[in-house]
Structures are given as structure tokens and as C-alpha cells.
Amino acid sequence: MSGDKSAAATFRLLWETKESARSSLSVGGIVEAAIALADAEGLGAVSMQRVAGELGYTAMALYRHVPGKDQLVALMADRAQGRPPEESGREWRAEILNWADAAWDFYLAHPWMLRVATTGAPTGPNELAWFEALLRPLARSGLAAENLVATAMFISSAVRDLARITTEIVPSGTDYGNLLAQVVRPDQFPTLASLMATGALEDDGDARPALDFGLNLILDGLRTHTS
């Protein structure tokens, strides 16, 4: 029951918070301060006490506007992603690729969002707008209605997880190929050994090419599936 009450409180805050609120001691002001802190120091730095200190208030003053950290993080994530790109009038495939580009950009602009736990379906105004912006071109592709949500989840999860990998990989300064050469034997790992021989396992830490290839492969398959 307490979880239901918490979810309901979060939902109300997401939909009742006014974008025009600019006072520092308002829901809008608190959320903006928390986003700035997370952008600078990561999500782990965000606490009600720390945000209150950044604003020059006590944590108790913040609790009168935001019930707790869970609600604060939900508000931060919805606010930080902003609105999705406007429809361009292009074909459905181009709209989906444009959506993925924009999602990738906001994740890299706010890497802490990749550490926010996914606890349920989107409910915030911006979250739902992004969901709608992906579902709409998928629906235009001719995909059956019962498969729209699953396909949107797959695409959005691919964007999010590959963005997470890109933000987490730290170049080690060690030659990955030379390391693997010490343990990869053709009799044990024939495919890996073959890829190493062609240089296909060289890793620069950028997962974006994998996203582009995977998305185009999925969309090629979707076009064939719906033809």
C-alpha cells in the first residue's frame, strides 16, 4: 500500500509541476538545482540535504515541496530529457532514426540518467511524449498494434544501454587485441580468433556504430515484416 501511495504522489508531482516555476524554493527550482548537481557530480551526489544546501535552505524546507529522493529523481529524469523532436513529415524509418539520435544526445548530455532505475512504464509528461514520438512512426510502418509497445521497448532499451556502455567505458591504455592473443586459441574460440585476425575486435570504446548498425538492421527487418 505504501508503494502505491508513493507512486501516486510521484505521478501527481510529475503532472502538477509547472515549468514556469522559477523560485528556488519551488518544485521547479529544486529539480533544476538537483539536475545541475547531477550533471556536475553524478546521481550519487544528489540527496535532499545536498540539494537543500545548494539552494541555501534546510532539507526540511525541501520536504514541504518534494516528499523524498525517489520523487525528486523521477522529476529530474522527466525534466532533463525535455521534449522529443518534432515530427518532420519524413517516412517512418527516418523519424525513428531521428528519435534515436535525439535520445542518444540527451543521455550523453546527462549521463546520470542512465543510472536511474527503471521501475515501471513511463508516466511523466516528457517521458510519455517521448514514448508517443516513437510509437507514432512505428504505427505508420504497418506493424501490428499488439507489437508496437514491445518494439518500442526494444529500440529504446538498445539506445539507453549502448549509451550507458559508451559513458562507462574508460580507455585502459592496454591493447585489447594483444591481451586476447594471450588466451584466445582457434580450437577453443574459432570465431573470436577469426575476428582477431581481421582486426574486427579492435575497440575504441564508442558504442554508437553498434547502435547505428543494429537499428538499421531492425528497421530493415521491420520493413520486410510489414511489406
Side-chain angles (χ1 to χ4, degrees):
M1 185 64 70
S2 61
D4 292 342
K5 290 182 178 179
S6 177
T10 301
F11 184 83
R12 285 194 300 273
L13 278 171
L14 284 165
W15 283 92
E16 292 173 3
T17 299
K18 303 298 183 184
E19 290 289 334
S20 60
R22 287 291 179 259
S23 166
S24 61
L25 195 57
S26 65
V27 175
I30 293 166
V31 171
E32 288 177 3
I35 289 173
L37 180 58
D39 284 343
E41 300 182 31
L43 189 60
V46 176
S47 67
M48 298 295 281
Q49 184 172 358
R50 179 70 189 279
V51 175
E54 294 290 318
L55 292 171
Y57 295 97
T58 64
M60 190 59 65
L62 264 63
Y63 282 115
R64 289 197 289 269
H65 299 271
V66 179
K69 184 177 177 180
D70 288 347
Q71 288 78 20
L72 176 59
V73 171
L75 289 162
M76 290 166 60
D78 192 72
R79 176 71 65 88
Q81 64 185 290
R83 304 300 289 179
E86 295 289 336
E87 269 195 301
S88 65
R90 294 179 292 175
E91 67 156 356
W92 62 266
R93 182 188 183 116
E95 295 284 6
I96 292 171
L97 292 174
N98 187 47
W99 184 97
D101 284 341
W104 180 270
D105 288 345
F106 79 63
Y107 281 133
L108 266 59
H110 305 286
W112 57 267
M113 289 184 64
L114 298 163
R115 281 76 188 170
V116 176
T118 302
T119 58
T123 55
N126 288 333
E127 288 180 310
L128 285 176
W130 277 90
F131 198 30
E132 168 70 21
L134 180 54
L135 288 171
R136 193 180 301 128
L138 282 172
R140 283 171 31 212
S141 76
L143 188 64
E146 62 266 25
N147 295 322
L148 287 176
V149 170
T151 306
M153 287 177 60
F154 190 88
I155 291 172
S156 60
S157 296
V159 175
R160 179 186 172 100
D161 204 48
L162 287 168
R164 178 189 59 78
I165 290 170
T166 290
T167 63
E168 288 180 352
I169 288 179
V170 178
S172 64
T174 303
D175 188 323
Y176 181 62
N178 285 338
L179 281 177
L180 287 188
Q182 300 175 39
V183 293
V184 172
R185 299 289 180 263
D187 59 328
Q188 291 179 298
F189 307 102
T191 307
L192 282 172
S194 175
L195 290 173
M196 286 177 58
T198 65
L201 285 183
E202 293 178 4
D203 183 22
D204 61 3
D206 182 10
R208 182 58 199 252
L211 176 64
D212 292 337
F213 177 78
L215 279 177
N216 280 291
L217 197 63
I218 291 167
L219 298 179
D220 286 345
L222 183 55
R223 189 185 295 277
T224 300
H225 176 74
T226 57
S227 295

